[in-house]
Structure formats: C-alpha cells, structure tokens
Amino acid sequence: MASFDRASPALKEILLRIYSAEKPIEVDHHLYEFGSVEYHIKSSASDPQLTYLSISTPLLTQGVLLSYGLSPYTIQMVREISSDVLEIVEPAKEGYQLTLRLDFSKIPRGKDSLKVVTEVSSIQAVILSSQLKEMLQNVNSWDTSQGMYKPIKLVYHPREPFYVIRQPKKIVAVFPMRFKEYSDVIIATSFFQELMEVGSSEKWAKAPPCSWSPIPPPELRGEPFEDLSTNGGFVSFDISSRHVEGKRLDKTVWSLLNFYAYVKHHVKCTRGFIQRRMRRRLESLVEVLQNSSLKEDGHIKKVQETAGWRYMKKLVRLSSKSKILKRRCRDFARKIKRIRFRIKIHGFGHFRRRWLTMPKFSSSMGYTKLE
C-alpha cells in the first residue's frame, strides 16, 4: 500500500468538491494511484445528485480467493460502507471490477457528511482488506492434507508478494524483503532486529510475535527460487485466533497489508535523518575550520605586524647608532686635526723648502703620443 490512510486523499477531495459545489458541475475524471489502482468519477450537471464511481484494483490472488472478480463476502463488505448512499451497479463498467452509484442527496448535512465521504473514499481499502479478512476468519476451520501445510502466495503488488501458511490454531504471515540500495538493507536489518526485541518484551506480549531470518523459514520449502531470493531476509508474524476477534480483525488486516509500506517509510525516514545529521555535522566542521582559519590569519597578520614593527625599531636603532658613530668619528677627526695644527717647529718650513723640494728635470727629447 502507498499510504497508511485507508481513504484515498485524492478521491476524497474530488467527491467533497462535487458534494459541496454551489452550482452543478460536470465531472469526468480518471484518477490513478500507486499499486495500479484506477478510479473513474463521473458526474453530470443535469443530474448533480448522482455520481458514478468505478474502481479497478489488483486483487489478492491464489488460495481460496478468486483470481478475478470480487467474492460475495467482499461485495457484502462494500454494501455495508453506507447502504443509503451507495448502490452497486451491475454489470460494472468495462475495464473495472466495481461500479458504484452515489446519491449525494442522502448524505446528512453537517459533520456526518465528511465522515460518509471519507468512508466511500476508502473503497479500495475495503476491497483489499475484505479478502484477507475472509482468510483470517477461517483460521480455525482450515485443515491439512497429508500433514503438510502448503503456503499460500498472496500477490497484491508484483514486486511485493507475501505468504500465508495455515497451521493449527494460527496463521504465519511471511514477508520476503527486497531492497534496491545496500544502505537500505542495513537500515532495514537493524529495524527488524529491534522489532524482534521489542516484540519479545512484556509490554507487547499481546501483539503477534515477530521473527526475522536472513534465510527462508522451513515453511517455504519447495517454493520457486525467484520468490525466495532476497537481500533483506524474511519477516514472519504468528497470528492466532485472538488477533482476529472483533475489532482486532480490521487492525490486524490493515497492519499486514501496510507492512511493506511501513518498512519502506521507516527506511526512507531513517535515511533522510542520517543524511540531515551528516549534512549538519559537515556544516559544523566547515564552520569550525573557517573560524580557525580566520583566527590563524588574524594571528599571522598580528605576528607580521609585530615583527615588522620590531624590524622597523631595529632599523631605527641601527640608523641612530650609525649616526652617533659618524658623529663620534667626525669629532675624533676634528680633535686629531686640532692636535696636528697645534704642533709647530720653528725653522722647519725654511728647511722643507730648501732640502725637501723635488728637483725638476728637462729632456731635449720629445715624445709622440700613441693613438
């Protein structure tokens, strides 16, 4: 099943629009839903009180159930939805298993109108549930042949068959689980193991016992290999007579029919939850790295500024020291000059001009400058 809600949301919306319309409207609408379910809704403006609803849905096959058409028990369950409002039209429209004539004039006004429309919108769930109800109600009346309980393969969706095995005082429902992604197999396996642990607790002692195995259970020996080749193992529920008594029958049937959808919903939600957690974790790590990078850049800039300032101070100190050294050298040179100028020897100038002058030579030979 595609939804946990018994009533079809799209069909309910269309019927409510026809019922609550202020002016008569012409409706000829085909509606398709998951699981090869098809509805045809037809309403004429000339006769707005009558609406025709036809439905085509896959049926549970094999076993005591009919492979085509609806059993008398199913027809009776459909009539009990609202005997005043709906009437079964025979024969059904071509291509459909069931056609209903809805008389909106007999729907009570007020809050009860929504309840009646919701019950009519659950026609597909009533058809499917009634077939499995018929089987579960006969849990104590089935016998065996040659001491063997042959599994009954029930097919609603081609890729989601399940088995019902008749045993003394109980029925075993076995679901072969198949998944496309390996990550889905891991999530589902963990879910099945947790389901077994919770089911074995005292709080859920009244619920049907659940078991999971990676290999086919002994009850399915002899079944076709393609039906037993799974990657998610096999989930089994033991249904006893107390699980199908009174109002528990509807709850048990709907839980079995929606088990595949529930598992897929759980796997999808868990995968989405894990992906969101991983995305948030990644964002937090990226934020930490960015903050650390900004802090590191600020620290490096501060160190560079500090180092530059220290280098500039050092250059200033060196330049000041060089100026001081130059000034001291100039002062020392001035002192030397002063000392040299203060030393005077009387008569030394006359002696230098006479004896220390270089003689001048003259040559009669000239020279030619070489180019």
Side-chain angles (χ1 to χ4, degrees):
M1 303 294 290
S3 175
F4 301 121
D5 193 1
R6 294 176 62 91
S8 169
L11 179 60
K12 179 180 177 180
E13 180 181 356
I14 295 174
L15 294 179
L16 284 175
R17 187 177 62 183
I18 297 174
Y19 173 73
S20 59
E22 296 180 357
K23 296 181 180 181
I25 58 176
E26 193 82 21
V27 176
D28 191 356
H29 188 73
H30 289 268
L31 177 63
Y32 299 90
E33 290 187 345
F34 175 80
S36 302
V37 180
E38 180 183 356
Y39 299 98
H40 180 231
I41 307 99
K42 187 174 183 179
S43 178
S44 176
S46 60
D47 192 3
Q49 300 299 330
L50 296 180
T51 299
Y52 291 87
L53 172 62
S54 301
I55 179 174
S56 173
T57 178
L59 302 177
L60 291 175
T61 58
Q62 293 191 9
V64 298
L65 302 179
L66 300 177
S67 60
Y68 180 78
L70 302 177
S71 66
Y73 179 79
T74 301
I75 297 295
Q76 181 62 28
M77 294 297 295
V78 171
R79 286 198 176 103
E80 292 179 359
I81 293 177
S82 182
S83 58
D84 297 335
V85 176
L86 62 85
E87 180 183 353
I88 298 177
V89 178
E90 295 182 358
K93 185 178 179 180
E94 186 178 358
Y96 297 88
Q97 282 116 351
L98 185 66
T99 299
L100 303 177
R101 181 168 51 240
L102 307 178
D103 189 355
F104 284 163
S105 63
K106 296 182 179 180
I107 297 180
R109 297 292 175 177
K111 296 181 180 180
D112 293 337
S113 60
L114 179 60
K115 181 180 179 181
V116 173
V117 173
T118 302
E119 291 177 352
V120 174
S121 302
S122 63
I123 181 66
Q124 193 264 347
V126 172
I127 293 174
L128 192 61
S129 300
S130 62
Q131 299 179 66
L132 191 55
K133 280 182 182 180
E134 188 175 3
M135 180 180 297
L136 295 180
Q137 284 178 340
N138 297 327
V139 62
N140 293 327
S141 61
W142 288 340
D143 56 355
T144 64
S145 59
Q146 299 178 358
M148 298 295 293
Y149 297 92
K150 186 178 180 180
I152 300 175
K153 180 181 178 181
L154 301 180
V155 181
Y156 168 64
H157 194 279
R159 292 175 296 180
E160 298 177 352
F162 64 98
Y163 292 88
V164 173
I165 300 97
R166 299 176 290 182
Q167 292 185 359
K169 304 301 180 180
K170 72 175 182 178
I171 289 179
V172 180
V174 182
F175 294 85
M177 307 305 300
R178 298 178 179 86
F179 303 93
K180 293 182 179 180
E181 302 293 336
Y182 179 71
S183 58
D184 295 347
V185 176
I186 297 176
I187 297 174
T189 302
S190 176
F191 169 68
F192 296 148
Q193 293 174 349
E194 184 177 356
L195 188 63
M196 286 193 301
E197 294 178 0
V198 173
S200 60
S201 62
E202 296 182 359
K203 183 178 180 180
W204 302 99
K206 296 182 179 180
C210 173
S211 61
W212 174 82
S213 174
I215 60 175
E219 293 84 1
L220 296 184
R221 291 178 181 176
E223 294 299 314
F225 176 76
E226 57 271 14
D227 293 340
L228 303 181
S229 57
T230 65
N231 57 0
F234 298 82
V235 181
S236 303
F237 293 95
D238 296 338
I239 302 171
S240 60
S241 58
R242 63 187 179 89
H243 296 132
V244 294
E245 293 176 353
K247 296 182 179 180
R248 294 179 182 177
L249 177 61
D250 289 335
K251 187 178 295 185
T252 301
V253 168
W254 194 244
S255 298
L256 292 176
L257 293 175
N258 283 276
F259 181 71
Y260 276 117
Y262 180 77
V263 172
K264 289 183 178 180
H265 177 75
H266 175 79
V267 170
K268 183 178 180 180
C269 293
T270 304
R271 185 173 62 245
F273 174 76
I274 294 174
Q275 291 174 352
R276 288 194 300 271
R277 289 292 300 270
M278 293 176 63
R279 194 179 298 112
R280 291 176 183 174
R281 181 60 177 168
L282 178 61
E283 291 175 355
S284 63
L285 291 176
V286 171
E287 185 178 357
V288 171
L289 291 175
Q290 289 178 348
N291 293 337
S292 62
S293 178
L294 292 175
K295 291 180 180 179
E296 185 176 356
D297 292 341
H299 179 69
I300 292 174
K301 186 176 180 181
K302 185 176 181 181
V303 170
Q304 289 177 349
E305 292 177 354
T306 305
W309 172 247
R310 290 177 180 176
Y311 180 70
M312 290 297 297
K313 289 176 68 177
K314 188 175 181 180
L315 288 178
V316 171
R317 289 176 182 175
L318 289 175
S319 61
S320 60
K321 287 182 179 180
S322 61
K323 289 180 181 179
I324 295 173
L325 183 60
K326 288 180 180 180
R327 186 168 62 251
R328 289 180 179 179
C329 289
R330 286 195 299 269
D331 295 341
F332 183 74
R334 291 194 191 100
K335 289 181 181 180
I336 294 296
K337 288 180 180 180
R338 291 174 184 175
I339 294 172
R340 187 185 64 181
F341 293 155
R342 289 173 184 174
I343 299 175
K344 295 182 179 180
I345 301 175
H346 297 283
F348 183 73
H350 177 75
F351 176 79
R352 185 182 61 181
R353 287 191 299 271
R354 184 176 181 178
W355 299 102
L356 297 179
T357 55
M358 295 296 294
K360 297 181 179 179
F361 298 95
S362 61
S363 176
S364 58
M365 297 179 62
Y367 63 93
T368 305
K369 184 178 180 181
L370 297 177
E371 296 295 338

